[in-house]
Amino acid sequence: MGSHDVQSSPRHPSVKPFLIDTHCHLHFPAYDADRDAVLARMRAKDIWAITVATSIRTSADGIAFAEKHDDVWATVGYHPEHLTSSYHDASEGPVDDFDAAAIKRLAMSSSTVVAIGETGLDFLRIDPLPPPQFPLRHWTDTAKKLQEDALRQHIVIAHELGKPIVIHCRDAFQRLAEIIQDEQTAGRRVAGVVHCFTGSWEEAKPLLDLGLHLSFTGIITFPPKKSDDPRRHVHRVIEQMPLERLLVETDAPWLAPVPHRGKQNEPTYVEYVAQCVGARRGVPIQEIARQTTENAIQLFHIYGHNFF
């Protein structure tokens, strides 16, 4: 989006945002039955949303959706699990093949696109057996390389277009940090967020040192498991990390926070995430809301708003 003042901006909600849900999937089929009601509840709380893509199809659909709503922005990208896993959640809708050129075209097609992704590494979602075109031998290594190559292509697009990147990472934090470091050493600026962060401080610090933001979901509201090491719990990250690098999200329709755990999630519930962050840091939710909203506006270059 270009830099405009509020009067000249084509996209400016009529109210100051209380919170920004920086990662949800409002345009997915999961909301086909009640999307208007979900949007109404979101607006009643003065919450904006970034609806995130996971395929070429959902990238195009997300743009079309965001263009209809002044308080919703979009991303374009391809989820790493679709490269290496047959797993598919019907809530997401159809999945197509990875096409970096299509992602770049879509990213340039609309001012509603504020980031590239979600992309990243998901070493948990690798099928035990490869697709027919890949040999069984060394399949796991091949699968990881497929994800890594796609991540690097997303980074190139983000660098060329001057946009941040939305990163999914599971069972691969060390490798992610290595790739980001490689790309930065090669001269590509990598700004962005590791979304739904659930790792330890030891896993978070290298990512923070590389300049990335971390975003948290309703998972942080779940009671710790008895088997969890308190010293390595994600709560330690929330307590120690710089507040100016912290974002909140829902990942809706999944991961609804307590007290709605087990139900379909929605952007309104990002308030529970912010409350939990505030409780962990010993500050009021109003301060968490103010700072995380400012963080989101700055990271995603959501211009036309001079609230801070």
Side-chain angles (χ1 to χ4, degrees), residues 58-68 74-76 106-107 109-110 112-113:
T58 59
S59 294
D61 289 349
I63 291 171
F65 179 74
E67 287 180 340
K68 297 176 182 177
T75 75
V76 296
L106 286 165
S109 72
S110 173
T112 67
V113 177

Side-chain angles (χ1 to χ4, degrees), residues 83-258:
L83 296 163
T84 59
S85 173
S86 56
Y87 173 83
H88 181 244
D89 189 323
S91 298
E92 180 183 359
V95 174
D96 42 27
D97 294 333
F98 175 61
D99 185 340
I103 289 171
K104 186 173 183 180
R105 286 195 301 270
L106 286 165
M108 298 171 66
S109 72
S110 173
S111 62
T112 67
V113 177
V114 294
I116 306 300
E118 62 186 288
T119 179
L121 304 175
D122 193 327
F123 291 172
L124 179 68
R125 286 277 167 81
I126 295 176
D127 284 346
L129 297 176
Q133 67 268 33
F134 295 104
L136 177 59
R137 189 180 183 190
H138 306 309
W139 159 239
T140 299
D141 291 341
T142 300
K144 290 179 179 179
K145 189 174 187 306
L146 287 171
Q147 292 188 11
E148 292 178 8
D149 288 349
L151 169 58
R152 290 181 189 273
Q153 290 181 69
H154 281 83
I155 290 172
V156 169
I157 294 169
H159 173 72
E160 291 176 348
L161 300 183
K163 295 185 184 296
I165 191 164
V166 176
I167 302 171
H168 169 102
C169 187
R170 191 155 48 175
D171 291 0
F173 288 119
Q174 180 177 342
R175 184 58 185 147
L176 174 63
E178 292 169 352
I179 291 173
I180 300 299
Q181 181 67 74
D182 286 348
E183 293 295 319
Q184 291 184 347
T185 300
R188 283 180 277 275
R189 176 179 177 269
V190 185
V193 56
V194 181
H195 102 97
C196 191
F197 188 82
T198 57
S200 66
W201 177 249
E202 290 73 21
E203 291 165 322
K205 191 174 186 305
L207 302 172
L208 292 166
D209 289 345
L210 289 166
L212 295 173
H213 289 61
L214 303 179
S215 183
F216 301 91
T217 65
I219 288 176
I220 68 170
T221 71
F222 300 171
K225 299 176 183 177
K226 291 183 179 180
S227 59
D228 288 345
D229 181 349
R231 296 167 299 178
R232 293 182 56 82
H233 198 275
V234 68
H235 289 163
R236 306 291 84 76
V237 178
I238 294 168
E239 293 160 1
Q240 297 180 71
M241 71 174 288
L243 185 55
E244 62 269 20
R245 295 274 203 83
L246 193 152
L247 298 172
V248 290
E249 60 165 293
T250 60
D251 203 13
W254 302 287
L255 304 180
V258 175

